[in-house]
Amino acid sequence: RGGQFLNVMNGGKMFQHVGNHTASHVAYDHISGKEFIVSSTHHQMMRPSHKGTVFLSAKNGGFKEFMRGEEVVRCSDDVETVDTEAVFYQETRSICFQPHPEFAGFKKLGDYYIEVINIFLFTE
């Protein structure tokens, strides 16, 4: 837990409410090109800052809502936005990982999570 918090602390924002993300779905790794089934119990989603590198995303579609001041702004299905599942901030060495690799039945995702930690944190 804490990926959303780390994203905001690195200048990112959040979609406060999203559709089509309350069931497991496919996410795409931008590093290896692999696909993973990810757990999804969230109704919020990270909106990374320009400092972040998105390395895991999905294309679930659905609406996305965020706050602009006191106004709720909705992006519709036809607006092309990346469904960010994981982002890395080099400056703070923060891995913001939204899926839950610890959930039962997600061993492949858990193994991938450990691999990502090794790539981003233990290689120069």
Side-chain angles (χ1 to χ4, degrees):
R1 309 258 181 175
Q4 293 176 350
F5 173 77
L6 287 171
N7 176 61
V8 171
M9 296 310 296
N10 280 282
K13 297 184 182 199
M14 297 294 298
F15 286 110
Q16 296 300 319
H17 188 53
V18 296
N20 294 345
H21 278 271
T22 56
S24 298
H25 57 273
V26 175
Y28 306 92
D29 173 18
H30 299 261
I31 299 168
S32 68
K34 295 177 187 175
E35 294 182 354
F36 294 91
I37 301 297
V38 298
S39 56
S40 188
T41 59
H42 57 272
H43 65 92
Q44 296 174 318
M45 184 183 303
M46 297 180 290
R47 295 170 54 206
S49 78
H50 68 281
K51 298 177 190 176
T53 301
V54 174
F55 65 91
L56 187 66
S57 66
K59 291 196 174 195
N60 286 12
F63 68 86
K64 296 169 187 66
E65 295 177 334
F66 63 95
M67 297 300 294
R68 184 180 296 142
E70 294 182 18
E71 176 188 10
V72 175
V73 177
R74 179 176 276 214
C75 299
S76 62
D77 289 341
D78 60 343
V79 174
E80 187 65 33
T81 58
V82 173
D83 294 357
T84 301
E85 296 288 348
V87 61
F88 177 66
Y89 290 96
Q90 175 65 42
E91 187 176 302
T92 60
R93 299 179 63 78
S94 299
I95 298 172
C96 308
F97 202 86
Q98 191 160 271
H100 292 273
E102 75 278 10
F103 283 3
F106 291 91
K107 181 175 180 354
K108 186 176 175 185
L109 180 64
D111 292 345
Y112 169 69
Y113 179 68
I114 299 301
E115 182 181 324
V116 164
I117 289 172
N118 288 324
I119 290 170
F120 287 124
L121 299 184
F122 299 112
T123 58
E124 293 296 321

